[in-house]
Amino acid sequence: MHATQQAHGKRLLVINQYFAPDTAASGQVLASLCEGLAHRGFEIIVVCGFPSYTDDAPEAPPVEGRQEITVYRVGTGGVKGRSSIRKRIQGYLGFMLSAWKKIQVLSLREHFDAVVTLTNPPSVGLLGVLAQHKLHCPFVYVVHDLHPDILVKCGRLRSGLVVRLWDRMNSLIFTNATAIVVLGDRMREYLQVEKCVSNEKIRVIHNWSTQDISPRPRLNSFRTIHGLGDRFVVLYTGNMGISHNLEYLLEAAAKTQGDTQFLFVGSGEKKASLQATAKKLGLSNVIFLPYQPENVLNDMLAAADICVVALEPELTGLAVPSKTYPILAAGKPILAIGSSNNEVAEIVRQWDCGWVATTSDETHQLLQRLAASHDEVLRAGDNARKAYLENFTREKAVTRYVEMLKDVLQKGERTRKECC
């Protein structure tokens, strides 16, 4: 039977603080997933926050309907942006309380076949557990990143009462979840070994590019506007936060000779210190730009010769940078900076679509060699596009989600029959 026929009439309650048009990667991926599932016959009810990921987040209506998707937006504690821990916590708590009120209202008039949450905020899985029991349906937990582990390994949170309570909350969520989706094999291994999660619950489903990205000419308007000429361009785009070891790239820039340009595009709490370091070292081969408009992304990626994905080695199994997928879609090779064993390094090795560097010296040496190895760079880019088309498109991911949800819904039916 076709997947659309199998899913027809099945209703999913989806809960996450961020959802398009919010610019958070998780919200963009979730909106794309909901659209894909709706095309396969599911009816989707989303409970999310008003856009709040940035200080200038766009406005959006409290209720929005399109195709088989209805979006209910609730308050986020009256804050926008994530410039401080206090603002983040206020936003998280505001969303959790408002979302639970909305879920209780929906439970009085709606039937749901399953509830799905992501990990924004990190406590949102609790709403999944509560909704699971309130609505008497299965719960699917989609793990994009794992806290408090990331904060602890980055030195932002010490082991203590807060960590123990957080771990207990995670354990409750993992225990109650009918299925747990992770972004790669390292994340699955981490949950099995460190969190004692049964392998039978875990499904590996990679993310994808939420925009229609394709290979384009290298010499384009983006290069012209920013004066890049025909130089060898090394691009990092996205969040410059505590989990990204971009110091390696900056140190490599200080050592690199020749006509190589390093381009940092985006924002984050590390950006100011990286800019200060570049200025102190007098690095004329480094440019910082703000986030670019959505309609510029494809040309920006096309203008690069190599794109960087950076993740602190200690965070292997805890996150997979979402920028990986549009880079592959653009047919650009990846320089994975960090652990030689993380998800991105595995993709790079399996598909021969880039290189892995674990130190600033390795980063420097690789880039010096690749700047003079035009054919190798092009070949890796071709492999990147092939890897994307064969493994990481939205269509393939949605198919895996449909297969997983079919199993979850069957388990839910058996449970309800046993209860009756």
Side-chain angles (χ1 to χ4, degrees), residues 290-312:
Y291 280 113
Q292 298 297 292
E294 188 173 299
N295 61 359
V296 174
L297 177 59
N298 207 153
D299 279 344
M300 179 179 69
L301 292 172
D305 292 286
I306 290 176
C307 294
V308 173
V309 177
L311 188 69
E312 292 286 357

Side-chain angles (χ1 to χ4, degrees), residues 217-229 233 235 263 265 289-290 292-293 296-304:
R218 173 177 173 271
L219 298 177
N220 58 31
S221 59
F222 187 87
R223 277 186 173 257
T224 301
I225 291 169
H226 298 288
L228 300 175
V233 173
L235 171 68
L263 188 58
V265 179
L289 296 175
Q292 298 297 292
V296 174
L297 177 59
N298 207 153
D299 279 344
M300 179 179 69
L301 292 172

Side-chain angles (χ1 to χ4, degrees), residues 99-290:
W100 178 236
K101 290 179 182 178
K102 174 59 69 174
I103 292 165
Q104 289 179 302
V105 171
L106 290 173
S107 71
L108 298 176
R109 65 172 191 257
E110 305 278 4
H111 164 78
F112 295 99
D113 295 289
V115 57
V116 180
T117 79
L118 270 64
T119 48
N120 292 114
S123 57
V124 73
L126 279 180
L127 292 181
V129 174
L130 292 171
Q132 174 187 37
H133 293 288
K134 182 79 173 176
L135 302 169
H136 306 290
C137 65
F139 163 42
V140 177
Y141 190 42
V142 182
V143 181
H144 279 189
D145 43 39
L146 191 60
H147 289 289
D149 305 56
I150 290 175
L151 294 175
V152 171
K153 290 181 182 294
C154 287
R156 294 302 178 89
L157 188 63
R158 294 183 180 180
S159 296
L161 179 60
V162 172
V163 171
R164 289 196 297 272
L165 291 175
W166 205 331
D167 282 336
R168 287 185 181 181
M169 179 189 73
N170 285 337
S171 179
L172 175 68
I173 296 169
F174 293 141
T175 298
N176 281 272
T178 311
I180 299 169
V181 176
V182 297
L183 303 183
D185 289 328
R186 300 292 83 76
M187 293 184 78
R188 175 171 59 187
E189 292 166 6
Y190 191 91
L191 288 187
Q192 287 179 268
V193 175
E194 301 295 333
K195 305 300 178 182
C196 299
V197 177
S198 168
N199 185 52
E200 293 180 358
K201 279 192 176 187
I202 305 174
R203 298 291 186 95
V204 175
I205 306 177
H206 279 271
N207 281 342
W208 56 94
S209 174
T210 58
Q211 296 184 23
D212 185 15
I213 301 294
S214 59
R216 290 185 180 180
R218 173 177 173 271
L219 298 177
N220 58 31
S221 59
F222 187 87
R223 277 186 173 257
T224 301
I225 291 169
H226 298 288
L228 300 175
D230 194 28
R231 278 174 280 181
F232 186 78
V233 173
V234 181
L235 171 68
Y236 177 85
T237 179
N239 185 38
M240 304 176 200
I242 60 173
S243 61
H244 308 111
N245 47 338
L246 295 171
E247 293 80 4
Y248 291 5
L249 191 59
L250 209 56
E251 290 166 9
K255 302 172 187 175
T256 298
Q257 299 177 350
D259 205 17
T260 298
Q261 185 71 58
F262 293 79
L263 188 58
F264 292 77
V265 179
S267 189
E269 61 181 285
K270 273 190 177 182
K271 184 174 183 178
S273 63
L274 292 169
Q275 287 177 305
T277 300
K279 183 177 180 180
K280 180 179 178 181
L281 296 175
L283 300 181
S284 59
N285 60 346
V286 174
I287 296 175
F288 287 89
L289 296 175

Side-chain angles (χ1 to χ4, degrees), residues 215-413:
R216 290 185 180 180
R218 173 177 173 271
L219 298 177
N220 58 31
S221 59
F222 187 87
R223 277 186 173 257
T224 301
I225 291 169
H226 298 288
L228 300 175
D230 194 28
R231 278 174 280 181
F232 186 78
V233 173
V234 181
L235 171 68
Y236 177 85
T237 179
N239 185 38
M240 304 176 200
I242 60 173
S243 61
H244 308 111
N245 47 338
L246 295 171
E247 293 80 4
Y248 291 5
L249 191 59
L250 209 56
E251 290 166 9
K255 302 172 187 175
T256 298
Q257 299 177 350
D259 205 17
T260 298
Q261 185 71 58
F262 293 79
L263 188 58
F264 292 77
V265 179
S267 189
E269 61 181 285
K270 273 190 177 182
K271 184 174 183 178
S273 63
L274 292 169
Q275 287 177 305
T277 300
K279 183 177 180 180
K280 180 179 178 181
L281 296 175
L283 300 181
S284 59
N285 60 346
V286 174
I287 296 175
F288 287 89
L289 296 175
Y291 280 113
Q292 298 297 292
E294 188 173 299
N295 61 359
V296 174
L297 177 59
N298 207 153
D299 279 344
M300 179 179 69
L301 292 172
D305 292 286
I306 290 176
C307 294
V308 173
V309 177
L311 188 69
E312 292 286 357
E314 295 83 3
L315 302 187
T316 296
L318 301 181
V320 179
S322 58
K323 63 177 63 63
T324 304
Y325 306 101
I327 292 171
L328 294 173
K332 290 298 173 178
I334 291 175
L335 173 58
I337 298 178
S339 168
S340 62
N341 191 42
N342 66 27
E343 311 289 0
V344 182
E346 291 289 320
I347 292 172
V348 163
R349 277 194 297 269
Q350 181 177 354
W351 291 95
D352 192 21
C353 61
W355 310 269
V356 179
T358 59
T359 66
S360 61
D361 282 339
E362 286 184 11
T363 304
H364 161 63
Q365 291 165 12
L366 267 172
L367 292 175
Q368 281 286 92
R369 177 175 66 79
L370 293 171
S373 304
H374 182 68
D375 289 344
E376 182 180 353
V377 172
L378 288 179
R379 184 169 59 253
D382 289 341
N383 290 341
R385 179 64 179 177
K386 180 180 179 182
Y388 184 78
L389 293 176
E390 293 185 8
N391 292 273
F392 305 114
T393 63
R394 184 181 78 162
E395 185 66 19
K396 293 185 182 298
V398 170
T399 296
R400 294 173 186 131
Y401 269 99
V402 170
E403 292 170 351
M404 177 272 297
L405 286 167
K406 178 185 173 184
D407 291 342
V408 166
L409 293 170
Q410 287 177 343
K411 290 178 182 177
E413 288 293 337

Side-chain angles (χ1 to χ4, degrees), residues 44-61:
I44 314 291
I45 307 297
V46 178
V47 175
C48 64
F50 285 99
S52 61
Y53 189 69
T54 57
D55 292 331
D56 59 349
E59 298 298 321

